[in-house]
Amino acid sequence: MAAAAAAAVGRRLCILRLPAQHGARGYRAALCTQLTQPLLVQDLPAPRLQPRQVRVRVHYSGLNFADILACQGLYQEKHAPPFTPGMEFSGTVMETGENVSAVKEALWQIPDNVSSEDAAVLPVAYGTAWLALHHRAHLQPRETVLVTAGAGATGLAIIDLAVSVFQAKVIAAAGSDPKCQLVLANGASHAVNYSQNSLREQVTALTGGRGVDVAIEAVGGDIFKAVLQSLAWEGRIVVMGFAGGKIPSIPANLLLLKNVSAMGVYWSRYQQEDFPLFSSAMSSLLQYGREGKIRPYIGAVFKLEEVNEAFNHVLQRKSTGKVIISMK
């Protein structure tokens, strides 16, 4: 999360605009200097551009739970302090290094009718949603999707894509009545509050006893088992996280009885393992934005100087939709 950044072939994604070039003297960044401690916002000198790099003035950075885990030393991909957290941002190209003639690799151009705020939401939340629905679950028109943590950034992205792009029906599960109201307002056909009602019983009633064709699960623990039991014959469940903190075991007999498929989706691995597919996801999402098919939901915007408040906002489960950091 920095006001300027050098980008090349790497894991941090930038969706950008392309104006005239000018140099950079320095930038402000939120640094993790010690794991589990608050971030420090500091002024830093701009590093010299290397060949095949560009310098980007960051407008907005998406905040992901993975960023918080990284700063706690709990994420799968470890970072040694000091480092600047962040996996996605939107911005404007300021300067190019040698041998740069076109935008490619980890950079995509923002369509004119897509705002910088919305662009910062697309890579992780919508990228994960697209990979889960299209590539992993092979969602078909008129199928029914069950998504847990439905009011989160990725949950709302799944609802948006499933309904607006893939022409499916969505049952969204969330942990409070206000969050259930939010998912209904954003396209879900039905909402289930799993903190008050039996998720399995509610899904069974809503589907006339049939179950759902596809489930996208992000909570883990007992919720995962209830979702697995809510699948229809030859249903597909895609695991994308464990927000509840408990990693579940899969009872193999449940896979056998209904001939269901269980799989995972790990967004960032596609950037290294199958970049053409990863790039196809980004290009598709930008095209949907250009055509007005999707509507990213931004729940809160914090200034860079408020980055620790933003972290706490997410940790205290106050957030709905995407939380972004403004560098303006």
Side-chain angles (χ1 to χ4, degrees):
M1 297 166 185
V9 183
R11 293 176 182 162
R12 184 170 298 165
L13 297 196
C14 174
I15 302 185
L16 50 84
R17 303 190 191 278
L18 303 172
Q21 296 188 52
H22 46 87
R25 297 179 180 175
Y27 64 99
R28 291 179 66 77
L31 290 177
C32 176
T33 58
Q34 185 177 347
L35 297 178
T36 74
Q37 297 302 307
L39 302 186
L40 299 179
V41 177
Q42 298 181 352
D43 291 311
L44 300 172
R48 182 175 179 178
L49 280 184
Q50 301 301 313
R52 300 179 62 227
Q53 287 189 334
V54 300
R55 196 182 313 280
V56 176
R57 182 180 299 281
V58 177
H59 296 161
Y60 296 94
S61 177
L63 174 57
N64 297 282
F65 192 64
D67 300 321
I68 298 174
L69 292 178
C71 293
Q72 295 174 338
L74 301 176
Y75 193 55
Q76 296 98 315
E77 299 175 8
K78 303 299 182 182
H79 302 276
F83 65 90
T84 299
M87 303 172 71
E88 58 185 343
F89 52 80
S90 63
T92 301
V93 171
M94 300 167 59
E95 185 180 2
T96 61
E98 296 178 2
N99 303 322
V100 175
S101 59
V103 174
K104 62 178 182 178
E105 302 293 350
L107 308 176
W108 286 265
Q109 189 168 353
I110 304 173
D112 291 339
N113 62 331
V114 175
S115 70
S116 295
E117 295 93 327
D118 284 354
V121 179
L122 296 181
V124 178
Y126 275 80
T128 300
W130 189 92
L131 288 166
L133 294 172
H134 179 70
H135 180 64
R136 301 298 281 152
H138 299 291
L139 181 64
Q140 300 300 308
R142 295 182 296 280
E143 287 191 318
T144 300
V145 178
L146 170 63
V147 57
T148 58
T154 306
L156 289 173
I158 286 167
I159 295 170
D160 196 9
L161 286 175
V163 173
S164 302
V165 175
F166 299 116
Q167 305 301 305
K169 178 181 177 181
V170 176
I171 300 172
S176 70
D177 288 340
K179 289 182 178 180
C180 285
Q181 294 170 6
L182 177 63
V183 300
L184 291 171
N186 281 271
S189 296
H190 303 284
V192 176
N193 183 343
Y194 46 56
S195 69
Q196 297 180 353
N197 304 297
S198 165
L199 177 59
R200 183 183 180 187
E201 290 178 1
Q202 292 292 309
V203 173
T204 298
L206 290 170
T207 60
R210 178 180 178 275
V212 297
D213 303 289
V214 171
I216 312 296
E217 214 293 287
V219 178
D222 293 337
I223 294 297
F224 171 84
K225 186 175 181 180
V227 171
L228 185 62
Q229 293 171 328
S230 299
L231 288 174
W233 170 259
E234 291 194 335
R236 293 90 76 198
I237 183 170
V238 182
V239 177
M240 66 176 187
F242 314 103
K246 294 182 179 180
I247 299 177
S249 297
I250 299 179
N253 63 309
L254 296 182
L255 304 182
L256 176 66
L257 292 174
K258 291 185 180 179
N259 278 17
V260 301
S261 301
M263 63 200 85
V265 62
Y266 183 15
W267 171 82
S268 65
R269 282 294 297 273
Y270 282 97
Q271 194 175 0
Q272 293 88 49
E273 303 291 343
D274 192 346
F275 188 80
L277 175 66
F278 189 91
S279 183
S280 177
M282 292 302 306
S283 297
S284 296
L285 294 170
L286 289 168
Q287 181 64 26
Y288 301 152
R290 182 183 293 109
E291 296 171 352
K293 289 183 177 180
I294 56 176
R295 299 179 303 162
Y297 181 88
I298 297 172
V301 182
F302 290 85
K303 297 179 180 178
L304 179 61
E305 290 73 19
E306 300 170 326
V307 64
N308 291 302
E309 287 88 340
F311 272 38
N312 289 331
H313 184 74
V314 174
L315 282 170
Q316 294 169 10
R317 298 183 181 272
K318 295 179 180 179
S319 62
T320 55
K322 190 72 173 187
V323 175
I324 62 175
I325 307 297
S326 173
M327 310 297 174
K328 293 187 173 182

